[in-house]
Amino acid sequence: MVAQIIDGFAIAAELRRDIAVRAAEMKDKHGVVPGLAVVLVGDDPASGVYVRNKLKATAECGLRSFEHILPADTSEADLLALVGKLNADPAVHGILVQLPLPKQIDADKVLGLIDPDKDVDGFHPVNAGRLSIGLPGFVPCTPRGAQILIDRLLPSLAGKHAVVIGRSNIVGKPMAQLLLQKNATVTIAHSRTADLPDLCRTADVLVAAVGRPLMVKGDWVKPGAVVIDVGINRIEVDGKGKLVGDVDFASAAEVAGFITPVPKGVGPMTIACLMLNTLDSAARRIAG
Ligand code: NDP
């Protein structure tokens, strides 16, 4: 293997320790404990795992959490009322509504009601707008975490070509905005892009956020490139479930300079950045 593995698991642990130190200082100096409200509607098992991991990280970082587990038949009106209450609660600095929501609830309506200054997921249109025009706001946690990994390897992206595969509002588009802010020349690829392997071969930084297991092969990768694999896909190998990324790690690691594994790459950074966004939110409120 040629590539160095980017240890997102260890870097996220370091970040959580740093957040815990800063949170303790905030408590001492200002008497404020950053609070994260986590709302889960229904009993989707994957969402349950994500929420438990988020609550665990909250405790580990010395932040306060407010857990709201609601039944699957919760009405949209009841959920909107809860978001309204959390918006008004001064102990809550961040509000996270776990997606997907049951079909009787319009997710855009719910996310749109969250106070943009408590929108630690960064999904509110106001925060998407702030990011696109370079104003401070909340950046979605996955791209923020991926960018932290890239920054450690390439502090300057001037003159570099970054290719982001995927144009979702939660990963692809904000990732592209962050890379652009760092002066990369950015191409966003998607399902209608022609000659994707050729395009990827021109990338100094290649971010895959597609949701297609092992799609990016080693011969799509420019020698020495930084490869960030956002994908989380469950596949069956020898009758057993296995998590893999959107990048075929074995072949890509023969060509790339640096590569994130799946699991233990971008995933842990996402949760650490949720903590970071919550801490930032409390710090901004203190700063007025
Ligand atoms: P979406 O399904 O919202 O978006 C996928 C994107 O990939 C779309 O823009 C789509 O294009 C594009 N795409 C699909 N097929 C192809 C193809 N054959 N060639 C090129 N582009 C293609 O997914 P998300 O952005 O929400 O998530 C992407 C992946 O990241 C998933 O595996 C998800 O599980 C993972 N993820 C991981 C997180 C983490 O913490 N590590 C957090 C969030 C997501 P088009 O727009 O044209 O349809």
Side-chain angles (χ1 to χ4, degrees):
M1 184 171 71
V2 171
Q4 275 187 46
I5 294 178
I6 306 169
D7 189 347
F9 189 75
I11 297 168
E14 206 179 287
L15 185 54
R16 288 197 305 273
R17 281 195 294 276
D18 179 52
I19 293 166
V21 170
R22 288 169 56 200
E25 279 169 11
M26 186 180 277
K27 190 176 174 190
D28 283 352
K29 259 200 209 152
H30 303 282
V32 173
V33 179
L36 174 67
V38 179
V39 181
L40 173 64
V41 186
D43 44 22
D44 176 60
S47 295
V49 172
Y50 291 141
V51 163
R52 274 196 298 283
N53 288 342
K54 288 167 186 176
L55 292 170
K56 193 172 145 231
T58 311
E60 203 184 307
C61 292
L63 312 189
R64 184 179 296 161
S65 61
F66 304 92
E67 211 177 318
H68 296 271
I69 313 283
L70 308 180
D73 61 356
T74 299
S75 70
E76 185 180 280
D78 283 351
L79 184 57
L80 291 172
L82 173 62
V83 169
K85 257 174 53 190
L86 297 172
N87 280 344
D89 184 344
V92 172
H93 300 89
I95 301 171
L96 177 145
V97 177
Q98 184 64 45
L99 300 177
L101 289 169
K103 53 183 179 314
Q104 74 275 15
I105 298 176
D106 179 346
D108 286 340
K109 215 164 162 184
V110 174
L111 298 182
L113 186 70
I114 295 175
D115 178 348
D117 292 331
K118 294 188 177 188
D119 169 41
V120 285
D121 254 341
F123 296 165
H124 194 288
V126 165
N127 281 313
R130 285 174 179 161
L131 176 62
S132 79
I133 60 173
L135 288 176
F138 291 110
V139 176
C141 303
T142 300
R144 187 175 187 188
Q147 186 64 50
I148 291 173
L149 297 178
I150 296 166
D151 285 346
R152 289 171 72 111
L153 300 167
L154 295 173
S156 167
L157 294 179
K160 306 281 186 206
H161 184 205
V163 172
V164 179
I165 320 174
R167 57 174 163 179
S168 72
N169 292 333
I170 63 170
V171 189
K173 279 184 203 149
M175 186 74 246
Q177 295 285 358
L178 290 174
L179 291 161
L180 188 61
Q181 276 180 12
K182 294 281 175 175
N183 296 318
T185 302
V186 182
T187 305
I188 305 176
H190 48 77
S191 66
R192 317 292 167 88
T193 298
D195 303 326
L196 187 58
D198 278 349
L199 175 68
C200 291
R201 273 191 286 273
T202 66
D204 303 296
V205 176
L206 180 60
V207 180
V210 188
R212 291 186 157 249
L214 312 175
M215 183 181 87
V216 176
K217 308 294 179 200
D219 63 0
W220 297 28
V221 175
K222 180 176 175 176
V226 174
V227 177
I228 305 290
D229 189 355
V230 176
I232 300 180
N233 310 290
R234 189 168 287 279
I235 60 165
E236 288 261 314
V237 179
D238 301 331
K240 278 197 203 144
K242 186 181 177 204
L243 282 188
V244 296
D246 293 338
V247 176
D248 176 23
F249 183 88
S251 64
E254 292 299 330
V255 188
F258 299 90
I259 187 167
T260 57
V262 176
K264 301 197 172 181
V266 175
M269 293 300 291
T270 297
I271 296 189
C273 285
L274 177 65
M275 305 301 122
L276 192 55
N277 279 352
T278 306
L279 181 76
D280 285 352
S281 179
R284 280 183 207 149
R285 176 117 49 93
I286 290 166

